[in-house]
Amino acid sequence: MKSILLLDGDESFGFRFAKDFSDKYKIHLLFPRSGIENYLESIMVLPDNFDYIINNFNVPFYSSNVAYMNMIDKIQELINSRLKNGKKILISNQMVYASSPELKTEEHITVPETKYGKIMLNTEELVKDNAHYIIIRSGMIYGKCTYNIYTDILTAIRGNISLKLDNRVTLNPVLNSDISMVVEMAMDDIDRDTINVGGDDAMTLYQFGRHLYDSVREDKCPFIKIENSSVLNYSMDSCRARKMYKIKFTGLEDIDFLNFMR
């Protein structure tokens, strides 16, 4: 049985991947030993005997915590230096692209306009220093998990609570079970390559939250738009992943969000 080191197994993709494939692989979930600040310390004590290392450590694009954001590429640097064996898989993000109205394929220019996008692009460059790697440029991941913005939205919907959501950055929502499936199929199928994984819908976080709210409630939505900077459109094309793996990404209209609320 092949072994996988998976960073951040509570977050949406990591949670789903571990649930989907724990019978097929020996999955080691890495959590910080004593708080997120000590993630680097947690990596230092690991053995170098994994077949795959999936770096799913991330910080939300709307986060204002610069210290946590700066850890993203530092963690990849340590993975590169400490874990020489094993294929490296980075869960990146579509915000590495240059913002524009057109759909971005894997070949689209990468000139990010945000600090988050710049850090993610730098982390992509770091993972390319390995002999074997895959870069997954994901959309906005959602689905049942322990925590992420999706769970915050569900909690706010249940309690009819006001929630501030970004309405500037356009991304492609992708269900965590969809990206979990693509990552598992790609692990041995491609090498030293990049692939987009996002649904066909494109919307801001506020529009996503409103869609969920309106799907399960009939009263006025209390969510608040945050619009403090330029509008950025990172809509991407995941046609390559669809063709390679014969997958139809789950659309928001395909989901019974009432069931997700339970």
Side-chain angles (χ1 to χ4, degrees), residues 2 6 39 48 51 68-69 90 96 117 119 146 168 177-178 188 191 207 216 239 248 253:
K2 291 185 177 180
L6 175 56
Y39 232 113
D48 187 9
D51 296 293
Y68 286 178
M69 204 175 292
L90 174 66
V96 300
I119 288 175
T146 303
R168 305 156 298 160
S177 58
D178 285 349
D188 290 319
D191 193 18
Q207 291 167 338
V216 298
C239 185
K248 179 184 182 299
E253 73 281 356

Side-chain angles (χ1 to χ4, degrees), residues 78-143:
L78 189 56
I79 289 173
N80 289 0
S81 63
R82 277 278 298 117
L83 305 173
K84 299 293 187 181
N85 298 308
K87 189 172 187 175
K88 313 304 188 296
I89 300 168
L90 174 66
I91 308 301
S92 185
N93 188 276
Q94 66 195 98
M95 288 180 71
V96 300
Y97 292 119
S99 173
S100 70
E102 64 187 295
L103 293 178
K104 291 107 187 125
T105 66
E106 288 83 354
E107 290 74 34
H108 190 84
I109 186 171
T110 49
V111 184
E113 295 94 336
T114 66
K115 180 174 177 60
Y116 175 84
K118 291 172 183 177
I119 288 175
M120 290 308 307
L121 184 59
N122 185 60
T123 308
E124 288 190 7
E125 293 303 313
L126 290 170
V127 83
K128 290 178 183 178
D129 291 337
N130 294 281
H132 303 284
Y133 69 85
I134 303 173
I135 295 169
I136 305 290
R137 288 182 182 148
S138 77
M140 180 171 60
I141 305 173
Y142 71 98

Side-chain angles (χ1 to χ4, degrees), residues 179-214:
I179 189 170
S180 172
M181 178 170 50
V182 172
V183 170
E184 198 275 333
M185 289 189 290
M187 288 195 318
D188 290 319
D189 187 53
I190 61 176
D191 193 18
R192 301 186 65 83
D193 207 350
T194 300
I195 190 166
N196 290 344
V197 183
D200 294 331
D201 301 304
M203 61 189 65
T204 67
L205 186 57
Y206 173 79
Q207 291 167 338
F208 176 76
R210 277 296 307 267
H211 181 92
L212 266 63
Y213 195 97
D214 294 341

Side-chain angles (χ1 to χ4, degrees), residues 24-51:
K24 185 174 181 179
Y25 302 98
K26 183 179 179 181
I27 300 177
H28 177 86
L29 302 177
L30 183 66
F31 303 104
R33 301 178 73 184
S34 53
I36 192 171
E37 298 87 349
N38 295 310
Y39 232 113
L40 298 176
E41 178 186 347
S42 302
I43 295 172
M44 287 296 295
V45 299
L46 290 171
D48 187 9
N49 60 359
F50 299 101
D51 296 293

Side-chain angles (χ1 to χ4, degrees), residues 149 153 163-167 205-206 209 223-226:
I149 186 61
I153 291 172
L163 189 65
K164 294 180 179 179
L165 297 173
D166 177 87
N167 195 46
L205 186 57
Y206 173 79
F223 295 166
I224 301 169
K225 297 178 185 179
I226 300 176

